[in-house]
């Protein structure tokens, strides 16, 4: 197995600028998740609301994601990225205004989460489509892994920074700092050069037909189909765990927003270790197909969630959530790299929007079901049930794919 600390994608000046601006944006996203998650718990003390707010942040990906995927394949990708990221930053500024002047309720917080969710659903696919237009194809897998390091270092730094800022300063100042972090990316994008699209431009149809054309391409492509199937199973039964951490922190361990920050930062630490490993693994050779480590770490992550549900130990909870973060990232970055390397720009926006629907949309569905079921049967029992179902589903998928081959 080849490992190297050489990151060839960072030799590109444009990708360096993108990575720098994205560092602040990614931290802003994670700070925002801590803020909205904890405000939902503070305003209601109900896991259902925590799950619902998480659902609003991510569920628009299911409906709006495919629409934006078609739009991205049609429009100027750089301008579209600037617009969507600017709207997200402005919405966070509105959150600051409402909180600062004591006008915030669970209802307008829900509206804010929905608006952020809608435009973030566009932003996720935009980022995935933009990176291949900034970096050359030979360094694409490494660039995706470096982007993963950026994202997951933010998972480590952002929640910890949010908890620290809330504790030392205040919610008001934390929200405003979050706005400054988020506005950095659209300002950076203004100076970045983006290459022209490759591939043959397809004949424009209506949006639904164009998306279905992209979905048909993904289903008929064996490698992309397998990557999407694994992503769907892991998202539905594992990724929701991270989205209900506010309920776990407040309802099970009673550790407050600082403890929530520690949980999310620990998941981020596991994710960061995984992202660095993949970047080192993909620094030179381009792996073909689905790596074995994807299946191995998927099972490992589900077993860690069972441990999280069964243990009352805070230390063991942190260890378990570290493993969950590690497994989620191996699954996410490796499978995204697999899909990206099989695409050209003709289908990239639509296929990556489908992939985002599976990663984020199903995680949103998972979060709201975990929240509702958790209020009735307890968060711990819910985690165990979902993990067992995930293991059964993953084994079934393996058997079906083997039969298909």
């Amino acid at each position: 197995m080849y490992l190297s600390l050489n990151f060839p994608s960072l030799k590109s000046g444009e990708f360096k600028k993108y990575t720098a601006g994205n560092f602040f944006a990614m931290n802003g996203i994670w700070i925002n998740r801590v803020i909205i998650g904890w405000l939902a718990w503070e305003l209601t003390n109900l896991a259902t609301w925590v799950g619902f707010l998480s659902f609003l942040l991510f569920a628009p990906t299911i409906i709006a994601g495919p629409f934006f995927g078609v739009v991205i394949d049609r429009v100027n990708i750089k301008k579209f990225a600037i617009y969507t990221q600017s709207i997200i930053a402005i919405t966070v500024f509105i959150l600051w205004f409402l909180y600062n002047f004591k006008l915030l309720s669970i209802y307008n917080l829900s509206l804010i989460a929905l608006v952020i969710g809608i435009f973030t659903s566009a932003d996720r696919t935009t980022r995935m489509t933009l990176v291949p237009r900034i970096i050359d194809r030979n360094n694409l897998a490494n660039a995706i892994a470096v982007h993963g390091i950026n994202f997951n270092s933010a998972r480590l730094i952002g929640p910890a920074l949010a908890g620290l800022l809330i504790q030392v300063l205040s919610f008001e100042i934390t929200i405003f700092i979050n706005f400054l972090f988020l506005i950095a990316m659209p300002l950076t994008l203004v100076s970045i050069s983006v290459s022209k699209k490759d591939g043959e431009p397809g004949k424009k149809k209506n949006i639904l037909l164009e998306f279905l054309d992209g979905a048909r391409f993904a289903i008929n492509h064996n490698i992309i189909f397998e990557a999407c199937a694994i992503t769907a199973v892991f998202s539905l039964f594992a990724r929701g765990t991270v989205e209900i951490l506010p309920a776990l922190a407040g309802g099970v361990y009673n550790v407050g927003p600082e403890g929530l920050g520690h949980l999310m930062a620990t998941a981020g630490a596991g994710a960061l270790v995984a992202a660095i490993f993949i970047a080192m693994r993909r620094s030179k050779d381009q792996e073909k197909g689905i790596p074995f480590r994807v299946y191995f770490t998927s099972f490992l992550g589900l077993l860690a969630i069972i441990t999280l549900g069964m243990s009352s130990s805070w230390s063991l909870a942190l260890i378990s959530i570290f493993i969950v973060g590690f497994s989620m990232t191996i699954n996410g970055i490796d499978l995204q790299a697999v899909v990206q390397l099989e695409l050209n720009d003709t289908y990239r926006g639509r296929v990556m929007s489908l992939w985002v629907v599976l990663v984020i949309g199903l995680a949103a569905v998972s979060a709201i079901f975990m929240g509702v079921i958790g209020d009735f049967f307890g968060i711990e029992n819910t985690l165990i049930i979902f993990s067992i179902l995930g293991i059964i589903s993953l084994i079934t998928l393996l058997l079906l794919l083997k039969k298909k081959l």
Side-chain angles (χ1 to χ4, degrees):
M1 181 176 66
Y2 182 87
L3 294 175
S4 172
L5 285 172
N6 178 37
F7 301 137
S9 58
L10 290 176
K11 293 178 182 178
S12 164
E14 298 303 299
F15 187 66
K16 276 183 183 177
K17 286 191 287 185
Y18 174 84
T19 301
N22 202 39
F23 174 79
F24 289 99
M26 291 294 98
N27 275 281
I29 286 172
W30 285 100
I31 292 171
N32 192 59
R33 288 178 66 176
V34 173
I35 289 169
I36 289 181
W38 188 256
L39 285 175
W41 179 259
E42 190 177 65
L43 288 168
T44 67
N45 285 316
L46 289 172
T48 298
W49 273 109
V50 174
F52 182 66
L53 265 291
S54 179
F55 179 79
L56 291 178
L57 284 172
F58 298 111
T61 299
I62 301 173
I63 299 171
F67 166 78
F68 286 125
V70 175
V71 171
I72 288 165
D73 280 338
R74 291 181 175 185
V75 301
N76 182 310
I77 187 68
K78 177 178 169 179
K79 289 182 179 179
F80 190 73
I82 292 171
Y83 295 153
T84 55
Q85 292 174 27
S86 297
I87 291 170
I88 294 168
I90 291 167
T91 306
V92 171
F93 181 83
I94 294 170
L95 173 61
W96 169 81
F97 179 88
L98 292 173
Y99 188 87
N100 190 54
F101 290 96
K102 298 181 173 27
L103 299 172
L104 189 67
S105 69
I106 191 62
Y107 303 108
N108 54 30
L109 179 63
S110 298
L111 180 60
I112 286 169
L114 178 61
V115 172
I116 292 173
I118 290 171
F119 287 96
T120 301
S121 71
D123 181 52
R124 289 190 186 98
T125 305
T126 304
R127 289 175 192 273
M128 292 179 184
T129 308
L130 191 61
V131 169
R133 303 274 294 278
I134 296 173
I135 198 77
D136 63 272
R137 190 174 183 84
N138 289 335
N139 293 320
L140 178 56
N142 183 254
I144 292 169
V146 169
H147 180 71
I149 292 174
N150 208 354
F151 178 81
N152 290 297
S153 63
R155 288 185 66 177
L156 177 62
I157 297 168
L161 181 60
L164 181 64
L165 290 174
I166 292 168
Q167 185 178 20
V168 175
L169 301 174
S170 64
F171 256 106
E172 298 98 305
I173 296 175
T174 302
I175 297 170
F176 190 78
I177 290 173
N178 186 37
F179 160 72
L180 296 178
F181 274 42
L182 290 168
I183 201 66
M185 189 62 198
L187 294 177
T188 303
L189 279 172
V190 173
S191 67
I192 292 176
S193 298
V194 177
S195 67
K196 295 180 180 179
K197 289 179 65 173
D198 64 16
E200 294 293 326
K203 183 179 179 181
K204 289 185 179 180
K205 309 171 187 176
N206 69 53
I207 286 177
L208 178 59
L209 289 178
E210 283 199 43
F211 174 73
L212 291 176
D213 188 35
R216 193 177 302 112
F217 174 84
I219 291 169
N220 292 331
H221 193 295
N222 288 339
I223 294 176
I224 293 177
F225 176 78
E226 182 179 354
C228 289
I230 300 167
T231 298
V233 170
F234 199 73
S235 294
L236 188 58
F237 296 108
R239 289 185 180 274
T241 302
V242 175
E243 310 312 326
I244 62 164
L245 286 182
L248 200 66
V252 177
Y253 294 104
N254 298 310
V255 290
E258 295 80 20
L260 172 60
H262 293 156
L263 277 173
M264 295 182 73
T266 302
L272 179 59
V273 170
I276 292 172
F277 169 78
I278 296 172
M280 292 168 65
R281 182 69 183 92
R282 290 183 176 270
S283 64
K284 185 176 180 181
D285 55 327
Q286 302 283 16
E287 294 175 294
K288 302 296 182 183
I290 311 292
F292 169 76
R293 62 178 173 265
V294 169
Y295 281 105
F296 176 78
T297 54
S298 295
F299 282 112
L300 182 65
L302 289 164
L303 290 172
I305 294 170
I306 291 176
T307 304
L308 185 64
M310 293 178 66
S311 173
S312 59
S313 165
W314 177 243
S315 298
L316 192 54
L318 292 175
I319 293 171
S320 298
I321 207 66
F322 178 92
I323 295 172
V324 171
F326 180 88
S327 302
M328 285 174 57
T329 302
I330 293 289
N331 184 289
I333 295 179
D334 260 331
L335 293 177
Q336 184 195 155
V338 166
V339 173
Q340 290 271 30
L341 288 169
E342 298 294 328
L343 291 171
N344 61 32
D345 292 332
T346 301
Y347 286 102
R348 194 179 303 278
R350 282 166 285 176
V351 173
M352 293 315 298
S353 72
L354 175 62
W355 191 82
V356 170
V357 166
L358 297 176
V359 174
I360 306 299
L362 289 183
V365 172
S366 176
I368 196 166
F369 276 108
M370 279 188 173
V372 172
I373 295 171
D375 279 337
F376 284 97
F377 299 104
I379 296 297
E380 304 96 317
N381 293 331
T382 302
L383 292 175
I384 294 170
I385 292 168
F386 269 69
S387 299
I388 291 172
L389 290 174
I391 290 170
I392 293 170
S393 298
L394 203 55
I395 291 171
T396 303
L397 175 62
L398 274 167
L399 294 174
L400 290 174
L401 287 172
K402 184 177 179 181
K403 185 177 180 181
K404 181 180 179 181
L405 294 174

